[in-house]
Amino acid sequence: MTVAEQIEVTLAVGQQRDLPVVPAPGQPADREMHAILEIGVRGPDGPGPGDGPAPAAAPALAEVLIVDTSRSMLHPAAKLRAAKDATAAAIRLLPDGTAFAVLSGRFDATVVHPGPGRAPMAVAGPAEREAAERAVRILDADGGTALGTWLDLARRLLKDQPAPVKHVLLLTDGRNEHDHRAAVPLDTALDACEGRFVCDAWGIGDDWDAELLLRIARRLHGRAGAVREESELTAAYEELMTGLLGTTIPELRIRITPTPGTAIRRIKQVVPREQELSPVPAGPGAEYVTRAWGEEVRHYQVVLTADPAGRELGEDLQLAAVEVAVPDFGRPVRLPAPRPVLVRWTDHPLDASRQHPAVRRSELYQRASAAVAEAYRAWLRGDDGRDAADRALARALAVAEELGDAQLLDALRVIEDGGPGAGTGRIRSGLKDVDWQHLILSSALTTPPPPGAQAPPGPGTPDPPGAEALTECPECGWLGPADSVYCGGTCGRRLREPGS
């Protein structure tokens, strides 16, 4: 097996190593070290000239497609038609040999295909795909929404499937309003389903709940999405399925082994979306399971705590070792060597104030998401919350500008008065609740810092030649880029006129 035929995993650790040996007033003796793990997966190179086609691989996927068929899917009926079209398109993309099932979700969940008296899941082939599409085309809508019951049935169908990737694609137009009468409440279902399969949760129409979709996707290691127009759903499903079928590694484990005196506080994914990871004990450390990798790069933030007592100042000391592991799934994988997370204890306050740009970026995304949530809650109060909503929107805009995230800025400007590029910082009139739901989903997406970004200097350090100029808010003291229109701190005030 040549190197070009192997899947390659890469691992890099980004951190600002300096931590203060003397805690700030009121702070505990243990200090927190924040580091960013950049993990990449690259598939094998394609066959060279004369090599012939690559050998066919065994089916890597078992798929369950869940269609919301509650009564609201008929208001308007375009939602149900779009759901049928998109589900049929996804079925047509399933490779021969793929185990799959289609579920209809109401107060309960029923298997649409394969039919009664058959195996729990069908096996894709020309005739089976055609039969599944016919079953989807005759779906009708009635009843309510109970997502926990739908997911639990998917779990039971997938539990005995040998495919390395088990995936559920759930579509809903509602808010799980019948959870109280469900046979399996959503919390119970998520507990039972976590680690069993990956679930992408999608919304359609005007009455879905972004936080609900994000909650499902984060617990089940998937993605949350939605379409603004029903006609966009088929293309979205085709793109999602194409990416899913390109899965390179079904599961990758991050193993962290701390040195004596170091504790693992937490680890979470921060790019391309935030997701908390739960530890699995592994010897002296812990493992964190991640799933369904294509050719991509993800970032994870690791937080360790350590006590500097008895440690040397100014020397690089190892707090933990990080490595990645991939369970055997029948393909060769080249893994990177373990990487250290280091600390350099210092009594110099300027050194201790520096922050790695990827850590800073993660914090900015959290602030942007929190500001969006605050703006939405204030908007729900009507005229009483208008001023608070405007201030929160201004803060979100300022943070998005500092991040340089064009997608987030565009999503915020849909909400802002005057349309794209208006720069008013005020919420426009005539918004619908669904406009906010799309913004909440957009604020959950994250991007890495630009290549070559360096850790910022500590306060009071002279700017190097060519460094970006900063502006200071006269009200709350926030520091940000000189061209910021709004304060990104607590006050959210306007700092200058757009374009000036």
Side-chain angles (χ1 to χ4, degrees):
M1 181 65 64
T2 67
V3 170
E5 294 171 311
Q6 291 182 327
I7 298 169
E8 182 181 12
V9 179
T10 60
L11 168 65
V13 177
Q15 60 173 130
Q16 176 60 34
R17 300 175 186 176
D18 296 299
L19 282 182
V21 69
V22 178
Q27 296 299 310
D30 286 351
R31 318 289 189 275
E32 285 191 351
M33 169 57 72
H34 294 245
I36 297 293
L37 311 182
E38 181 181 294
I39 301 176
V41 171
R42 184 168 59 219
D45 296 339
D51 289 347
L61 174 69
E63 178 70 23
V64 174
L65 300 160
I66 303 180
V67 184
D68 185 337
T69 54
S70 61
R71 187 179 296 112
S72 59
M73 288 289 284
L74 294 174
H75 305 287
K79 289 188 291 187
L80 186 57
R81 288 196 298 271
K84 292 179 181 181
D85 289 343
T87 303
I91 291 169
R92 290 193 292 269
L93 287 172
L94 295 174
D96 287 356
T98 301
F100 76 102
V102 182
L103 306 187
S104 167
R106 302 182 180 180
F107 290 124
D108 56 6
T110 57
V111 178
V112 174
H113 186 83
R118 299 188 55 191
M121 297 185 71
V123 178
E128 205 69 47
R129 285 190 291 266
E130 290 177 9
E133 183 171 348
R134 288 195 299 271
V136 167
R137 293 295 180 189
I138 62 174
L139 283 173
D140 200 359
D142 197 10
T145 304
L147 301 181
T149 302
W150 309 356
L151 289 170
D152 190 67
L153 178 54
R155 176 189 64 80
R156 287 183 276 127
L157 293 176
L158 288 167
K159 68 177 182 178
D160 295 324
Q161 292 300 317
V165 178
K166 300 177 179 65
H167 181 262
V168 172
L169 177 52
L170 182 153
L171 176 72
T172 183
D173 75 331
R175 294 176 176 262
N176 201 36
E177 63 266 28
H178 298 107
D179 192 62
H180 63 284
R181 58 182 289 187
V184 182
L186 182 57
D187 284 340
T188 303
L190 290 175
D191 288 342
C193 294
E194 188 172 9
R196 305 293 183 181
F197 57 80
V198 173
C199 179
D200 292 333
W202 277 71
I204 189 172
D206 290 339
D207 197 34
W208 47 273
D209 181 350
E211 291 295 345
L212 175 64
L213 300 184
L214 287 168
R215 178 182 164 206
I216 293 170
R218 285 167 175 163
R219 284 291 301 275
L220 303 182
H221 292 239
R223 291 167 290 181
V227 291
R228 289 190 177 274
E229 302 293 336
E230 285 85 355
S231 59
E232 299 172 350
L233 187 63
T234 294
Y237 266 35
E238 289 174 339
E239 181 179 359
L240 188 151
M241 290 301 299
T242 300
L244 184 66
L245 292 170
T247 297
T248 304
I249 290 179
E251 178 182 303
L252 183 151
R253 294 185 173 225
I254 303 170
R255 184 176 299 147
I256 301 179
T257 305
T259 56
T262 301
I264 305 170
R265 180 78 173 271
R266 65 180 180 276
I267 176 172
K268 67 176 179 178
Q269 179 179 293
V270 293
V271 173
R273 62 194 64 83
E274 285 202 0
Q275 178 179 307
E276 295 286 346
L277 300 181
S278 300
V280 178
E287 288 186 345
Y288 299 81
V289 180
T290 67
R291 302 183 189 279
W293 286 73
E295 294 196 33
E296 61 179 306
V297 175
R298 302 181 193 175
H299 287 193
Y300 297 86
Q301 183 173 2
V302 175
V303 182
L304 306 173
T305 58
D307 187 344
R311 303 292 185 176
E312 294 290 335
L313 296 182
E315 294 185 4
D316 285 343
L317 304 173
Q318 182 167 314
L319 291 180
V322 180
E323 57 186 317
V324 294
V326 174
D328 181 30
F329 65 105
R331 299 182 66 183
V333 179
R334 184 153 54 102
L335 297 175
R339 300 284 190 266
V341 179
L342 303 174
V343 67
R344 186 166 47 221
W345 296 108
T346 178
D347 55 4
H348 196 295
L350 296 183
D351 289 340
S353 68
R354 298 172 191 264
Q355 190 176 39
H356 190 271
V359 175
R360 166 69 175 168
R361 195 169 181 84
S362 174
E363 292 179 358
L364 288 175
Y365 273 113
Q366 292 176 37
R367 286 171 53 184
S369 183
V372 166
E374 183 181 339
Y376 174 54
R377 290 192 299 268
W379 177 81
L380 289 173
R381 302 203 307 267
D383 290 342
D384 291 342
R386 184 58 185 261
D387 289 344
D390 287 346
R391 289 193 298 271
L393 175 63
R395 290 200 303 275
L397 282 162
V399 175
E401 286 179 348
E402 185 174 348
L403 287 164
D405 189 323
Q407 181 176 340
L408 179 56
L409 278 169
D410 287 346
L412 287 164
R413 285 168 179 158
V414 171
I415 299 294
E416 187 182 21
D417 186 23
T424 64
R426 296 189 300 271
I427 293 171
R428 68 178 174 89
S429 59
L431 286 176
K432 298 180 180 179
D433 190 88
V434 70
D435 295 319
W436 287 97
Q437 302 306 320
H438 280 286
L439 176 57
I440 290 169
L441 286 187
S442 294
S443 69
L445 297 175
T446 59
T447 61
Q454 300 297 318
T461 303
D463 290 336
E468 180 183 29
L470 299 176
T471 188
E472 181 176 0
C473 174
E475 184 167 330
C476 70
W478 172 79
L479 285 174
D483 59 355
S484 298
V485 177
Y486 308 104
C487 170
T490 57
C491 68
R493 63 173 288 173
R494 184 197 294 274
L495 300 176
R496 65 180 182 88
E497 292 300 318
S500 64

